[in-house]
Amino acid sequence: LGYGPAKGAFLLSCLGIANTVGRVLAGWASDRAWADCLVINNVALIIGGAATIVAPHLNNYWLLMAYALVFGTCIAAFVTLRSIILVDLIGIDKLASAFGLVVLCQGISSFVGSPLAGTLFDLTGTYYVSFYVAGGFIMLSGLICVPLRRIAAWEKEQQRKKDTKHMQ
């Protein structure tokens, strides 16, 4: 948008500061009795994804700053809460392998994301589609996590039945 490197760097600083503050806030919130970490995570991912979809249409510096603050805070919640959610859903005994799989998937998406965004730019001549796709995938990651608690409870019940059957 022609704002120059200094203003762009300041937006990245705002994103980083929001991410740092967001991690602390997500950690604090997750420690409250009323908190459901999975719901906080899902809402944060959906909001962060929606903000990313809207980002290409933000043509004002202050709106870009608002986006950086929202996105930084939302992604912070995901980063902070993923271990807690894994323990809640599958237990502490499976945390190491589950965390490894989560980080593997994140690595693959990081590895594929930039070339995909570049390919989309080459095909369309605009970065808008890249933002739409990235935001859509972030939102999708929040949406597909909505039924996780029910799925985990069903799996635990199936395991309990199996264990009970073997004990007889």
Side-chain angles (χ1 to χ4, degrees), residues 137-148:
F137 277 121
I138 295 168
M139 283 183 69
L140 181 62
S141 68
L143 291 169
I144 64 174
C145 288
V146 169
L148 282 182

Side-chain angles (χ1 to χ4, degrees), residues 11 21 28 30 55 88 93-94 106 112 114 120 125 128 140 159:
L11 288 175
V21 172
W28 174 85
S30 71
D88 281 351
D93 54 318
K94 296 179 183 174
Q106 285 180 273
V112 172
S114 295
L120 291 172
Y128 283 31
L140 181 62
Q159 186 63 44

Side-chain angles (χ1 to χ4, degrees), residues 113-129:
S114 295
L116 177 61
T119 300
L120 291 172
F121 175 79
D122 290 342
L123 292 172
T124 64
T126 179
Y127 283 110
Y128 283 31
V129 176

Side-chain angles (χ1 to χ4, degrees), residues 80-151:
T80 303
L81 300 176
R82 66 183 166 196
S83 297
I84 296 167
I85 293 167
L86 288 172
V87 170
D88 281 351
L89 295 176
I90 63 168
I92 192 77
D93 54 318
K94 296 179 183 174
L95 176 62
S97 59
F99 194 79
L101 287 172
V102 167
V103 173
L104 172 69
C105 291
Q106 285 180 273
I108 291 169
S109 66
S110 295
F111 182 72
V112 172
S114 295
L116 177 61
T119 300
L120 291 172
F121 175 79
D122 290 342
L123 292 172
T124 64
T126 179
Y127 283 110
Y128 283 31
V129 176
S130 298
F131 278 91
Y132 300 152
V133 170
F137 277 121
I138 295 168
M139 283 183 69
L140 181 62
S141 68
L143 291 169
I144 64 174
C145 288
V146 169
L148 282 182
R149 192 167 316 285
R150 286 192 189 128
I151 293 168

